[in-house]
């Protein structure tokens, strides 16, 4: 027995060598990568987690952990808190002061995937008061052979699952990703370990906080359908078509009936509208849009020349945004266009990035310029001029002239022109009108009125959120047809000056299924240039300080040698 105990202790010590102790504090994230022998901690490293994110994302800010993660990229990451295995994509807001987490890797049953989905990204910045944490035993009840995808997790008695108030138990368990798919195909329920009260997977999670459950099989019938949970957006949150519509199960027939009634209703309204008489038509004039959008021929010719400097940004050959040449072989685009493929630790892109200035017809394939490096960038979308990236291009072919000398102040009203590659297509130009700050709410109200009818496809809360957001923005706003893959396009005024960088909008899907935008916005280019100069100046000062330190060290070394 003594020999067995000694062997057990040695085995436990060997396992502890591969573990990391992690301590989260209220003001930051402390990571201790060390051996766990005799409870001693060495080689302490401190780092700050000052933005919303997941535990795994925060850990990857540590070079040591990133190196360990790279070595174990084919394995599954397991993080233990208080003996329970938490999810790697657990929001940092759920980590309390003084919590200690043990990090280890186990053999994966399938290739690890990126855990953060669209719904998690949508809700990740919510406060802890909107989050719920409950625990599930890794071993199921009677007649249940397997509930965990990875049998290695059965070594831990419980797993912790996080959820957002208002969502269903089933949605939380599916997002967690560690449970076997079979539990969603039969009528499984959660049985409270303390009270034995059963909770169906279609129930909300609101009352489950800090409770521990065991998964048991109620019967072998199919689980009852549950209505999807409505997502509540924050007032300043921009809605996209992906998170706009949630289909109700088994509702196709009802949907067809409602659509038929809606079309019949619209036809009835049209028959009530009297047609214009002959005399009325004599006095009727259709002017269309404002004459401010009309441009002189010489202005359009000059814009055509400047359009050569606008290009398409591609990632691995696929369109991902637009941009323009600033000077020499340096190009501008939005920071959010390249943020997902840039590795801050190594200061390089994870994927191949290129810029195409001559993509003006579908059959054109030449003219690609590879991006050599990301010189500097910033991603603060709510700050004027805070969403940009400066790219250094290869100069193996002749480049168009840069637009730096054409930068100007953004006008308060009047016509503008955007040149870019909307929807990832060929180069296009869109003349449109600026929406002055005092008229933004009127535009939002007009879109709301246009979407009224017997069937509400877009809720009022969406338009209220847009109104709150645009009312605060100190950006250039307008109504354009440039939506997806057009971020980074140059915006010209009536004097052919580059005044802003097209950056985003508020997308929704109309009653007839069309993708529309309430209003679009652009960051003023002068504000971007100001922030670029500040960032470059700080870099130069850092290099100067480094040079002075090295010079002083050289002088000191020479003095020591002579003495």
């Amino acid at each position: 027995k003594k020999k067995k105990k000694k062997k057990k202790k040695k085995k436990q010590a060997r396992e502890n060598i591969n573990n990391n102790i992690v301590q989260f504090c209220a003001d930051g994230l402390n990571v201790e990568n060390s051996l766990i022998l005799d409870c001693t901690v060495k080689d302490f490293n401190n780092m700050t987690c000052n933005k919303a994110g997941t535990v795994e994302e925060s850990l990857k800010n540590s070079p040591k952990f990133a190196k360990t993660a790279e070595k174990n990229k084919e394995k599954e990451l397991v993080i233990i808190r208080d003996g329970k295995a938490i999810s790697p994509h657990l929001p940092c807001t759920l980590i309390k002061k003084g919590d200690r987490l043990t990090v280890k890797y186990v053999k994966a049953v399938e290739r690890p995937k990126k855990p953060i989905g669209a719904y998690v990204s949508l809700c990740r910045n919510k406060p802890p008061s909107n989050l719920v944490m409950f625990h599930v035993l890794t071993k199921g009840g009677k007649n249940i052979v397997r509930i965990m995808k990875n049998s290695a997790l059965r070594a831990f008695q419980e797993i912790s699952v996080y959820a957002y108030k208002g969502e269903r138990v089933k949605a939380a368990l599916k997002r967690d990703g560690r449970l076997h798919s079979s539990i969603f195909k039969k009528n499984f329920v959660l049985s409270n370990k303390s009270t034995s009260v059963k909770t169906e997977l279609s129930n909300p999670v609101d009352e489950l906080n800090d409770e521990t459950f065991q998964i048991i099989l109620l019967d072998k019938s199919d689980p009852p359908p549950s209505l999807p949970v409505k997502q509540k957006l924050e007032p300043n949150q921009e809605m996209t078509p992906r998170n706009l519509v949630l289909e109700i199960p088994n509702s196709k027939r009802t949907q067809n009936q409602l659509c038929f009634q809606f079309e019949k209703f619209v036809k009835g309204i049209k028959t009530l509208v009297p047609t214009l008489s002959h005399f009325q038509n004599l006095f009727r004039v259709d002017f269309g849009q404002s004459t401010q959008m009309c441009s002189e021929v010489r202005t359009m010719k000059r814009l055509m020349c400047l359009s050569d400097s606008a290009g398409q940004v591609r990632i691995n050959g696929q369109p991902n945004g637009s941009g323009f040449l600033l000077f020499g072989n340096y190009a501008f685009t939005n920071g959010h266009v390249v943020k997902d493929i840039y590795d801050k630790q190594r200061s390089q892109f994870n994927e191949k990035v290129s810029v195409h200035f001559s993509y003006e017809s579908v059959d054109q394939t030449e003219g690609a310029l590879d991006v050599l490096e990301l010189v500097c960038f910033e991603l603060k979308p709510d700050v004027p001029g805070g969403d940009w990236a400066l790219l250094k291009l290869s100069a193996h072919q002749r480049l168009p002239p840069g637009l730096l000398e054409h930068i100007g102040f953004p006008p308060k009203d009047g016509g503008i022109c955007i040149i870019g590659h909307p929807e990832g297509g060929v180069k296009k130009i869109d003349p449109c009108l600026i929406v002055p700050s005092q008229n933004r709410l009127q535009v939002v109200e007009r879109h709301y009125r246009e979407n009224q009818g017997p069937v509400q496809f877009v809720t009022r809360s969406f338009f209220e959120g847009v109104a709150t957001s645009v009312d605060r923005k100190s950006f250039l706003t307008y109504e354009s047809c440039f939506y997806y893959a057009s971020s980074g396009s140059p915006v010209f005024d009536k004097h052919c000056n580059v005044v802003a960088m097209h950056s985003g909008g508020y997308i929704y899907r109309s009653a007839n299924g069309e993708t529309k935008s309430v209003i679009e916005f652009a960051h003023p280019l002068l504000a971007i240039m100001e922030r670029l100069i500040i960032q470059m100046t700080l870099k130069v000062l850092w290099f100067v300080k480094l040079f002075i330190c090295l010079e002083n060290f050289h002088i000191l070394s020479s003095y020591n040698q002579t003495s």
Side-chain angles (χ1 to χ4, degrees):
K1 285 183 179 178
K2 287 182 179 179
K3 285 182 179 179
K4 284 183 179 179
K5 283 183 179 179
K6 283 183 179 180
K7 284 183 178 179
K8 217 172 187 179
K9 284 182 179 179
K10 285 182 179 179
K11 186 179 179 182
Q12 194 171 359
R14 282 197 301 269
E15 287 177 354
N16 287 342
I17 287 174
N18 296 321
N19 293 349
N20 297 319
I21 294 178
V22 184
Q23 181 179 10
F24 286 84
C25 296
D27 60 342
L29 172 69
N30 295 326
V31 181
E32 305 168 7
N33 291 304
S34 61
L35 308 181
I36 317 177
L37 292 173
D38 302 326
C39 299
T40 58
V41 178
K42 300 176 183 179
D43 196 15
F44 184 83
N45 294 309
N46 183 55
M47 56 182 289
T48 303
C49 178
N50 55 9
K51 63 179 182 178
T54 67
V55 174
E56 186 178 7
E57 287 173 345
S58 299
L59 288 172
K60 284 183 177 177
N61 289 328
S62 163
K64 286 191 176 182
F65 181 85
K67 190 176 180 181
T68 306
E70 183 64 26
K71 287 181 182 178
N72 295 279
K73 61 183 178 181
E74 298 299 325
K75 293 185 179 181
E76 183 175 342
L77 174 64
V78 180
I79 304 174
I80 303 101
R81 179 175 68 174
D82 299 330
K84 302 176 182 70
I86 65 172
S87 170
H89 53 85
L90 181 83
C92 286
T93 51
L94 284 173
I95 300 299
K96 299 175 183 177
K97 183 178 180 180
D99 279 356
R100 281 189 176 269
L101 310 182
T102 303
V103 179
K104 66 187 300 182
Y105 286 88
V106 297
K107 186 178 179 181
V109 292
E110 59 183 32
R111 187 176 179 84
K113 297 176 182 176
K114 191 175 181 181
I116 300 299
Y119 185 68
V120 180
S121 301
L122 184 68
C123 302
R124 67 195 298 174
N125 293 327
K126 288 191 174 183
S129 58
N130 288 345
L131 291 164
V132 175
M133 175 83 82
F134 60 95
H135 317 289
V136 179
L137 297 179
T138 56
K139 293 180 182 178
K142 189 178 179 181
N143 298 327
I144 301 177
V145 178
R146 179 185 178 190
I147 64 169
M148 305 303 298
K149 269 186 191 176
N150 194 337
S151 57
L153 292 177
R154 296 185 67 181
F156 312 101
Q157 191 175 359
E158 300 173 24
I159 63 169
S160 296
V161 180
Y162 73 92
Y164 300 95
K165 285 186 178 179
E167 75 172 333
R168 310 290 178 185
V169 176
K170 185 176 181 179
L173 295 177
K174 277 192 171 182
R175 181 180 60 250
D176 184 81
R178 292 176 289 179
L179 293 170
H180 199 269
S181 58
S182 60
I183 72 163
F184 305 112
K185 295 176 182 177
K186 296 297 178 184
N187 200 5
F188 285 91
V189 295
L190 299 182
S191 176
N192 193 302
K193 193 178 176 183
S194 303
T195 63
S196 298
V197 174
K198 296 176 179 61
T199 303
E200 294 185 1
L201 301 191
S202 57
N203 284 10
V205 299
D206 298 40
E207 305 299 326
L208 308 186
N209 197 37
D210 288 333
E211 297 289 343
T212 302
F213 300 91
Q214 184 179 38
I215 295 177
I216 64 171
L217 180 62
L218 199 62
D219 54 59
K220 294 185 178 180
S221 61
D222 292 334
S226 59
L227 290 176
V229 183
K230 182 180 178 183
Q231 299 173 15
K232 294 181 180 179
L233 296 181
E234 299 297 331
N236 62 344
Q237 197 163 29
E238 300 172 10
M239 183 174 283
T240 63
R242 186 175 294 175
N243 58 42
L244 180 61
V245 180
L246 292 172
E247 186 177 348
I248 301 172
N250 305 320
S251 63
K252 198 70 180 176
R253 185 178 177 184
T254 308
Q255 182 185 356
N256 292 336
Q257 290 176 348
L258 289 172
C259 289
F260 174 76
Q261 292 174 7
F262 180 76
E263 289 175 4
K264 194 174 180 181
F265 177 81
V266 172
K267 286 179 182 178
I269 292 176
K270 286 181 178 179
T271 56
L272 297 174
V273 180
T275 55
L276 293 174
S277 67
H278 173 68
F279 293 104
Q280 286 174 316
N281 279 321
L282 289 176
F283 296 100
R284 176 178 173 177
V285 181
D286 290 323
F287 285 111
Q289 290 182 304
S290 170
T291 53
Q292 294 180 81
M293 289 179 61
C294 298
S295 300
E296 295 178 357
V297 172
R298 63 175 181 177
T299 303
M300 293 307 296
K301 284 183 176 179
R302 193 177 173 196
L303 280 175
M304 289 302 101
C305 294
L306 296 174
S307 71
D308 292 341
S309 302
Q312 185 180 65
V313 179
R314 297 182 186 178
I315 298 174
N316 291 330
Q318 298 300 315
N320 200 59
S322 300
F324 59 93
L325 199 68
L326 186 64
F327 63 89
N329 60 327
Y330 291 87
F332 250 160
T333 188
N334 277 128
H336 71 258
V337 172
V338 295
K339 72 177 179 67
D340 290 333
I341 59 163
Y342 183 67
D343 188 340
K344 288 184 179 179
Q345 302 291 338
R346 297 184 298 168
S347 299
Q348 65 183 39
F349 288 114
N350 294 325
E351 311 289 345
K352 181 183 177 182
V353 185
S354 58
V355 181
H356 300 247
F357 291 103
S358 58
Y359 184 51
E360 297 178 358
S361 63
V362 178
D363 55 350
Q364 279 183 314
T365 55
E366 74 284 347
L369 291 167
D370 292 335
V371 175
L372 301 178
E373 66 172 301
L374 179 62
V375 180
C376 50
F377 85 111
E378 188 175 18
L379 188 57
K380 295 178 181 176
D382 295 328
V383 178
D387 185 3
W388 55 272
L390 184 64
L391 310 174
K392 183 180 180 180
L393 311 178
S394 60
H396 64 272
Q397 59 179 278
R398 187 177 178 183
L399 291 169
L403 299 180
L404 179 61
E405 61 185 64
H406 300 285
I407 292 178
F409 289 93
K412 293 183 178 180
D413 52 26
I416 54 172
C417 276
I418 310 171
I419 302 176
H421 295 264
E423 307 292 337
V426 297
K427 192 179 296 185
K428 293 180 181 179
I429 182 169
D430 181 26
C432 51
L433 287 173
I434 293 173
V435 178
S437 55
Q438 66 271 19
N439 295 343
R440 292 172 184 172
L441 297 182
Q442 296 175 19
V443 174
V444 177
E445 186 65 29
R446 172 166 55 79
H447 277 266
Y448 172 68
R449 288 197 307 270
E450 289 174 356
N451 283 275
Q452 294 300 295
V455 182
Q456 284 286 79
F457 288 89
V458 189
T459 62
R460 182 178 181 85
S461 60
F462 165 68
F463 291 102
E464 288 174 349
V466 174
T468 306
S469 180
V470 299
D471 196 40
R472 291 200 301 257
K473 287 189 182 294
S474 302
F475 305 151
L476 190 69
T477 52
Y478 42 84
E479 292 185 85
S480 167
C481 64
F482 273 38
Y483 299 160
Y484 301 108
S486 61
S487 294
S489 301
V491 180
F492 296 88
D493 66 4
K494 62 182 180 181
H495 303 295
C496 299
N497 295 319
V498 193
V499 295
M501 185 188 294
H502 180 61
S503 302
Y506 299 84
I507 302 293
Y508 69 95
R509 196 171 291 278
S510 65
N512 58 4
E514 288 184 275
T515 299
K516 290 190 175 182
S517 176
V518 180
I519 199 168
E520 294 74 51
F521 59 88
H523 286 269
L525 204 54
L526 283 173
I528 293 175
M529 292 302 299
E530 181 182 347
R531 300 181 76 87
L532 168 64
I533 291 168
I534 291 171
Q535 196 172 126
M536 294 299 292
T537 304
L538 291 173
K539 279 190 175 183
V540 170
L541 288 173
W542 186 88
F543 280 114
V544 169
K545 286 181 180 178
L546 179 64
F547 176 78
I548 292 170
C549 288
L550 291 173
E551 190 68 24
N552 290 339
F553 178 76
H554 177 70
I555 293 168
L556 187 62
S557 299
S558 301
Y559 175 77
N560 289 335
Q561 287 175 4
T562 54
S563 61

